[in-house]
Every structure is written in structure tokens, then in C-alpha cells.
DNA sequence: GTTTGCATGTAAACGGTTACATGATTGG
DNA sequence: CCAATCATGTAACCGTTTACATGCAAAC
């Protein structure tokens, strides 16, 4: 899912500025599955406007750049739905942590433990974040996705806590340094 | 983790050609967390050679391009380890499926069911793949990672099977088409 | 007879991030 | 006083994918 499509999706939930779209990615629990930078959001919104999938109204502000509030158009909405009707691209996960774990035997034990600790607390944080922003009032999809995230994070924590020893307990890790 | 680093990592396990490295990504259970195309592997290997992190020997073949077998050098090895010692970039997951689920209420129920079915069988396949390529003989890291993958996939399947109704049961989905 | 496997590589296109430019206001 | 929030945008760069080019051998 490219930034264009993600922007359209967010705009189906209501009007927003580029700045707000970025915030939604970070704060509202979407952040676990999508993210994007200003450098990609603003141009995407411009192109979507040119193509007629969104419309803009400028709200003048004193001592700040004008707020440009974007709304999805009917064409944008059906374009968005169409994109959900055609075959979805596959998931891609890139986990430097998991990759590193493959080579645990090349690293000092302390480094491996450090990585596992860091990863656990990262996941704990994400889980906490998910629990804070409760989606009870939001569309069914949001609840489902939020539950999905929770299930995955809990599984990861369980696994790491009960299996970390296997990768930390080793005799000699001469390799590094 | 960029393709360069991934190549180095694979070469710590033994010599390989560009072609074989690609195969390893696909077949050997690494595939769940990393992948790369020829278009990135071959140039990466060339650059690593220039920089002295790997060495090549050409094995002539009849009626085929020469096999170029790459080996990691001592410098490559310590470079690789160094890259695992510095702070790891965060994981990134992009899941078009999960994204689509956020907007289940805009889609016909049949499409949502179809997506869930497709996703479930995709995950089932990955799980089966993981179970086939058993890593019993491989380094501890491989077993750990393989267990990690299994844990995540199982959690996903459990969640989808027990919660799919929440997103499929709805009265009226006029939106689409 | 067509697909799959072996085997290497290049070039263009793509999608995205990072850094830069600008600048007032509010909260700690 | 400094950091964060609000607010938009551009340009250079980067890593990767996709498509192309080449071509035989074996399996189905």
C-alpha cells in the first residue's frame, strides 16, 4: 500500500491536513502497520488533488502557513474502494532484530541479551500504546486490527520470554571484537 | 538491514554464488524475514568485492555463464559483526491485508471473507514451509528464529479464526461496486 | 513443447526518506 | 531558555524492484 492509497483511506474517515494525516499515523494506532514522512505525504496529496481524487480548501491563518484541508471526492472514494477490491500485495516484514538473531553465535552473549531486552521493551511499549488508544468507539475494522496487533505482540513477548535462554546460553562467544 | 549486510551474513555460513544467495532467501526459511532480488544482489556483491569484504573465484562452466563463487574475507566478517553491534534499525511491517481490514465497512462482506480466507491460507503455507525446512541441524539462531516465526504465525491464525466473524457479520455493505 | 532451473548482469523507474528552508506560539 | 507543536513544502539522495538481455539443459 503506497502513501497515496493510505492518504485516501484516512480521508474516508474525515477531512484532514497533511500534518494531521502524519499525526494519525503516529498516534492513532495505525502506526503499527503503516507510516510515512512529510516528504511523501505532501506530494501525494498534491497529486491526488490534480487527479481529482481529493479536493482542498485553504484556511488562512495568521503567522502560520495556511492550513490546507483535504477532503476525499466521490471519485477518490470509489478509486480507494477499487484498490481494495483488486488482489492485495503480500505483507513484507523486515526485522533487523530477527535477522541479527540468526547470527547470535557470532556475538558476545551480553550483546544478544541486550538486543532481546531492547526488543522486548519495544514490543511492550507498542502493546501499551495499543491499549491506550482504545478503539471502542471506532469502526469495527479498527477494533479488529487493534486486536490483531495485540495478539501478535503478546505472542512475541511470550515466545521471547520463554525461549530467550536458548540463544543466550552458550559456552564461549569468542567471535566478536 | 540492507542487501549488502544480508549477503555478508549469508556468506558467514559458507561460500555461495549470487544465484544461490537468492535461493537461500526463498527456500531456507530466511524468506520470512528478508528477501531481495537479483537486481540488488549482484550489484551488492560487486561492491562488497571492490571494498574487500568478499572475494570471488570464477568457476568456468560450459554453456553457462561462469559461476562466481563469493567468500567472505576476515574484513568482511568483522564488518558484519560490527554492523550487528551497533543499534539495530526498527522493524517495519507493511501489511496491505491489515490496512484493508481497517476499511472492512466499505467493502462487500464477500470480499472481506475472501481476503480473510486468502490471508489464512497464505499464513498456513508459510507455517508449513517453516515446518518442512527443519533447522535442527543448523545454528542455534536458526532454531530460535524459526520458533519465533511459528509462534507469530500460530497467533495470527488463532486470532483470525476466532475473530473473523466480528468483521464479517454486518448488516448491509452498500458501499462497494 | 513448454516450463523450470541454472547463471549473470544492466538500466530505468519507483517509492520513499532525509535534510533543508521558514517561522510564530505555547508549555515546561 | 529550550523544546515541542503547528504548518507547508522542495530537492537530493538511496535502496530496491522491474524489465530487459542472453541462453542452454533437464524435466514434465
Amino acid at each position: 500500500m503506497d502513501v497515496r492509497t493510505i492518504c485516501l483511506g484516512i480521508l474516508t474517515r474525515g477531512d484532514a491536513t497533511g500534518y494531521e494525516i502524519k499525526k494519525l499515523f503516529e498516534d492513532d494506532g495505525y502506526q503499527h502497520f503503516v507510516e510515512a514522512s512529510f516528504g511523501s505525504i505532501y506530494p501525494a496529496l498534491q497529486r491526488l488533488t490534480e487527479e481529482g481524487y481529493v479536493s482542498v480548501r485553504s484556511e488562512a491563518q495568521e503567522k502560520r502557513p495556511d492550513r490546507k484541508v483535504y477532503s476525499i471526492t466521490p471519485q477518490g472514494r470509489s478509486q480507494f474502494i477499487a484498490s481494495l477490491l483488486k488482489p492485495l500485495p503480500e505483507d513484507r516484514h523486515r526485522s533487523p532484530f530477527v535477522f541479527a538473531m540468526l547470527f547470535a553465535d557470532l556475538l558476545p552473549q551480553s550483546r544478544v541479551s541486550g538486543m532481546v531486552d531492547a526488543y522486548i521493551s519495544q514490543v511492550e511499549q507498542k502493546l501499551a500504546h495499543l491499549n491506550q488508544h482504545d478503539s471502542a468507539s471506532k469502526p469495527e475494522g479498527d477494533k479488529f486490527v487493534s486486536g490483531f496487533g495485540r495478539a501478535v505482540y503478546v505472542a512475541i513477548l511470550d515466545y521471547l520470554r520463554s525461549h530467550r535462554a536458548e540463544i543466550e546460553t552458550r559456552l564461549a562467544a569468542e567471535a566478536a571484537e
Side-chain angles (χ1 to χ4, degrees), chain A:
Chain A
M1 296 284 106
D2 51 23
V3 174
R4 281 162 53 75
T5 309
I6 295 168
C7 287
L8 278 185
I10 291 205
L11 291 174
T12 64
R13 298 286 176 85
D15 297 355
T17 65
Y19 190 86
E20 285 165 353
I21 288 175
K22 177 88 196 298
K23 292 280 98 150
L24 283 173
F25 287 163
E26 286 165 2
D27 298 340
D28 260 43
Y30 298 121
Q31 145 248 33
H32 303 273
F33 312 101
V34 261
E35 52 187 300
S37 60
F38 287 129
S40 59
I41 292 173
Y42 286 122
L45 253 10
Q46 281 174 359
R47 242 193 84 195
L48 288 168
T49 308
E50 284 162 27
E51 293 167 343
Y53 297 134
V54 304
S55 61
V56 212
R57 71 195 119 91
S58 267
E59 292 179 359
Q61 296 191 125
E62 273 162 32
K63 320 263 178 164
R64 288 226 183 118
D66 293 2
R67 269 166 63 85
K68 292 196 176 174
V69 183
Y70 292 90
S71 311
I72 195 166
T73 63
Q75 300 97 285
R77 181 171 272 267
S78 53
Q79 168 68 22
F80 176 64
I81 289 168
S83 77
L84 297 183
L85 290 177
K86 57 188 165 194
L88 298 176
E90 279 206 22
D91 289 16
R92 9 190 90 210
H93 308 248
R94 318 210 113 206
S95 177
F97 168 73
V98 170
F99 176 76
M101 287 304 103
L102 287 172
F103 302 98
D105 57 324
L106 302 180
L107 299 170
Q109 215 168 297
S110 61
R111 174 59 178 152
V112 175
S113 299
M115 281 171 161
V116 174
D117 286 338
Y119 195 74
I120 285 181
S121 64
Q122 222 182 87
V123 174
E124 277 172 343
Q125 244 174 271
K126 289 187 179 175
L127 194 53
H129 189 264
L130 218 49
N131 287 327
Q132 273 160 31
H133 289 266
D134 216 17
S135 48
S137 61
K138 302 212 201 101
E140 210 56 46
D142 286 39
K143 294 181 222 164
F144 181 82
V145 166
S146 157
F148 185 96
R150 244 174 255 133
V152 171
Y153 289 143
V154 167
I156 289 177
L157 290 176
D158 280 359
Y159 182 81
L160 291 180
R161 288 184 182 131
S162 57
H163 291 272
R164 59 183 299 173
E166 290 161 25
I167 215 166
E168 287 170 314
T169 309
R170 244 174 324 103
L171 338 101
E174 21 249 298
E177 223 142 339

